[in-house]
Amino acid sequence: METVASLPNLDSALLSRTHLSTLTNYVPSTHAPRFLLLYGSLRERAYSKLLILEAARLLEALGGEVRIFDPHGLPLPDDAPETHPKVQELRELTLWSEGMVWSSPERHGAMTGIMKAQIDWIPLTMGAIRPTQGKTLAVMEVSGGSQSFNAVNQMRILGRWMRMITITNQSSIAKAFQEFNEDGRMKPSAYYDRVVDVMEELVKFTLLTRDISSLLVDRYSERKESAELLSKRVNQQSI
């Protein structure tokens, strides 16, 4: 078995030797888990929004606090300054949240531009803060035809890129126009049961990880980079 001494490329002083006690020695938060929900359509009867509303009801029933962002009025990325009110609203909600739900229609075999624009307005960093890092994410999609997983697969890639903990379960609803009543409520079905499964799992993952998310996403490469930057700054001051 290799030892640290046999790893010449490793700075052993920066290696995080995680023990179980490190991950369990904390006082759990007692406030309701906070969830931001995004949907990817501006249509008056948008099934991705109706699905988000069902998710919101379930999360509240499971003890969560929910905020839904309305994408109406959000400009295209780079087509307005970051001070735009809708951009600021989205970013403030992102900072407030501990978990997120993304729901998009599948259009031309992909998530919608409306869905992607919302995610693109959320930066990886805001000063010293990473607004999405270590937060949980559940992904869902609605399709007009047969069941597909293109949109949820793409959103999973984005979730990983945003350094989020994307839960294992997901929801994909085929022929969504058949799955909702005229009043916008989802009909009883296996699709609905899967949405319940996803929301239950999201709450569990959020409660398990929200107090230790900084540990779960702490990276050797970034600790090394920070140490090197600190060393350069100190050496410059001593000249």
Side-chain angles (χ1 to χ4, degrees), residues 187-207:
K187 300 175 182 177
S189 68
Y191 289 132
Y192 178 81
D193 293 346
R194 173 60 67 89
V195 176
V196 178
D197 290 345
V198 174
M199 294 307 109
E200 283 186 342
E201 188 172 303
L202 178 63
V203 170
K204 292 174 185 176
F205 269 84
T206 305
L207 292 175

Side-chain angles (χ1 to χ4, degrees), residues 135-146:
K135 296 181 178 181
T136 54
L137 171 66
V139 293
M140 306 190 295
E141 75 166 85
V142 292
S143 303
S146 58

Side-chain angles (χ1 to χ4, degrees), residues 2-12 15 220:
E2 285 190 325
T3 64
V4 172
S6 67
L7 300 172
N9 296 330
L10 179 72
D11 186 340
S12 59
L15 185 66
Y220 167 80

Side-chain angles (χ1 to χ4, degrees), residues 156-169:
R156 282 188 176 278
I157 292 172
L158 283 172
R160 183 182 68 205
W161 187 261
M162 303 298 283
R163 299 185 172 189
M164 303 184 76
I165 302 169
T166 308
I167 68 170
T168 55
N169 215 337

